[in-house]
């Protein structure tokens, strides 16, 4: 597999990924870095092989979702750390789905860590580092003219579908999908596509076979909370996914 990032123009560098142009203006390359940040980049570090793991995990999960009718921006994986994707205009919302209470939900409400959420929560955060990605309401989204009400309904419905499919898949991997963040974009035809990535960087994943509250964590919370064995957590997620895919 060739490393297209060596020859292609860099369009944008984010905290965990770099976007490169290709000869086709409607096609981009996403390169996954080992760099890790948390708490709006106040905490910085590296996680060994994270780029490779997240690239592979994203590819497998997006293929699984595509097979079940969820349109994504993925075209193909082109190297260990790179995927070719359709160019989209990113909707500036982080769509977060929560099955079990954790993270900011527990910090900001009276809901205890580990509380099952039925039905799952679907929340919107404004993708804006300067403002600290604030939680939005439907009315604020309308007032800011980020999406139409119809497009917002589509985002909720797609996020719920992704949640059902991924919850079942991860469960087969003996992993509990606690919560996750999605991003969407519109392609040249105005079609809404799932974009960005789905990986241990963007999901909370607990080992179903482990009850210890620290040992069960397989995702970026190991880095956020200094739990140690961060790279091992990511590798374990990849290994379980690959085993499940091959079965
Ligand atoms: P929380 O709001 O509890 O911090 O995050 C909820 C879920 O969304 C977690 O799985 C978390 O990893 C993901 N998430 C929320 N915001 C971001 C973000 O800006 N970057 C990444 N990588 N994940 C996020």
């Amino acid at each position: 597999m060739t490393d297209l990032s060596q020859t292609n123009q860099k369009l944008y560098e984010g905290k965990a990924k770099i976007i490169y142009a290709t000869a086709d203006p409607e096609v981009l390359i996403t390169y996954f870095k080992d760099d890790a940040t948390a708490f709006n980049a106040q905490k910085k570090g590296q996680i060994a092989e994270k780029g490779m793991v997240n690239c592979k995990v994203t590819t497998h999960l997006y293929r699984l979702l595509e097979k079940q009718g969820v349109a994504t921006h993925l075209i193909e994986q082109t190297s260990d750390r790179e995927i070719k994707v359709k160019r989209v205009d990113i909707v500036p919302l982080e769509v977060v789905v929560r099955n079990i209470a954790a993270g900011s939900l527990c910090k900001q409400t009276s809901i205890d860590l580990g509380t099952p959420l039925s039905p799952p929560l679907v929340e919107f955060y404004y993708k804006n580092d300067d403002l600290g990605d604030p939680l939005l309401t439907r009315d604020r989204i309308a007032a800011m003219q980020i999406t139409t009400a119809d497009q917002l309904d589509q985002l909720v419905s797609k996020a719920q579908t992704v949640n059902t499919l991924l919850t079942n898949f991860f469960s087969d991997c003996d992993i509990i999908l606690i919560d996750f963040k999605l991003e969407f974009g519109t392609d040249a035809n105005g079609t809404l596509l799932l974009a960005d990535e789905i990986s241990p960087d963007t999901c909370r994943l607990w080992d179903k076979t482990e009850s210890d509250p620290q040992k069960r964590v397989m995702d970026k919370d190991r880095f956020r909370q200094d739990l140690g064995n961060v790279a091992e957590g990511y590798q374990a997620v990849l290994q379980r996914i690959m085993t499940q895919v091959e079965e």
Side-chain angles (χ1 to χ4, degrees):
M1 287 196 266
T2 54
D3 197 349
L4 292 168
S5 65
Q6 300 299 312
T7 50
N8 294 42
Q9 186 201 351
K10 189 194 281 191
L11 296 179
Y12 170 78
E13 179 155 4
K15 287 172 267 187
K17 298 188 290 299
I18 306 173
I19 308 294
Y20 292 94
T22 70
D24 182 342
E26 295 306 322
V27 176
L28 305 175
I29 298 286
T30 302
Y31 175 92
F32 290 77
K33 303 194 283 185
D34 286 346
D35 297 348
T37 63
F39 313 119
N40 205 3
Q42 286 173 46
K43 182 181 169 96
K44 289 185 183 154
Q46 289 234 320
I47 300 170
E49 311 283 273
K50 175 173 85 82
M52 267 188 250
V53 171
N54 285 359
C55 186
K56 215 164 184 177
V57 169
T58 294
T59 300
H60 277 284
L61 296 181
Y62 278 17
R63 281 203 194 124
L64 178 149
L65 293 172
E66 287 272 2
K67 272 190 206 151
Q68 301 293 328
V70 178
T72 79
H73 70 157
L74 178 70
I75 299 172
E76 60 177 339
Q77 185 172 0
T78 47
S79 81
D80 281 347
R81 290 170 178 271
E82 292 169 344
I83 50 173
K84 202 183 264 188
V85 297
K86 292 177 197 156
R87 190 190 66 75
V88 291
D89 288 328
I90 290 283
V91 178
L93 293 176
E94 294 184 346
V95 183
V96 169
V97 182
R98 299 180 190 274
N99 294 306
I100 292 184
S104 68
L105 180 67
C106 299
K107 286 201 190 103
Q108 294 167 5
T109 71
S110 58
I111 305 174
D112 291 328
L113 176 70
T115 306
L117 302 163
S118 186
L121 308 193
V122 181
E123 301 176 333
F124 300 99
Y125 294 81
Y126 185 34
K127 244 176 87 68
N128 186 313
D129 285 341
D130 293 342
L131 297 176
D133 295 349
L135 179 66
L136 295 179
T137 61
R138 286 187 82 95
D139 285 350
R140 285 187 184 189
I141 292 169
M144 293 164 77
Q145 299 185 322
I146 295 176
T147 67
T148 62
D150 178 57
Q151 213 176 21
L152 205 57
D153 288 341
Q154 277 189 57
L155 292 178
V156 173
S157 162
K158 282 177 192 288
Q160 286 168 332
T161 301
V162 169
N163 186 37
T164 303
L165 295 169
L166 292 189
T167 295
N168 290 339
F169 175 73
F170 277 119
S171 179
D172 290 342
C173 301
D174 272 341
I175 293 174
I176 305 169
L177 179 58
I178 304 300
D179 59 31
F180 59 95
K181 183 252 315 177
L182 300 177
E183 294 188 24
F184 293 87
T186 46
D187 69 8
N189 305 316
T191 306
L192 206 51
L193 301 179
L194 182 60
D196 196 53
E197 67 177 294
I198 304 180
S199 72
D201 264 9
T202 63
C203 302
R204 285 198 172 89
L205 303 165
W206 290 359
D207 185 345
K208 216 200 279 185
T209 67
E210 180 60 70
S211 57
D212 181 276
Q214 296 202 344
K215 285 190 195 152
R216 69 187 175 190
V217 174
M218 305 177 82
D219 57 76
K220 196 171 163 186
D221 272 355
R222 298 207 73 80
F223 170 76
R224 295 187 186 101
Q225 299 170 20
D226 293 320
L227 299 179
N229 294 325
V230 183
E232 288 78 1
Y234 279 63
Q235 290 288 349
V237 171
L238 176 62
Q239 197 240 324
R240 290 210 198 169
I241 287 177
M242 296 311 291
T243 309
Q244 189 60 30
V245 167
E246 281 156 17
E247 269 174 8

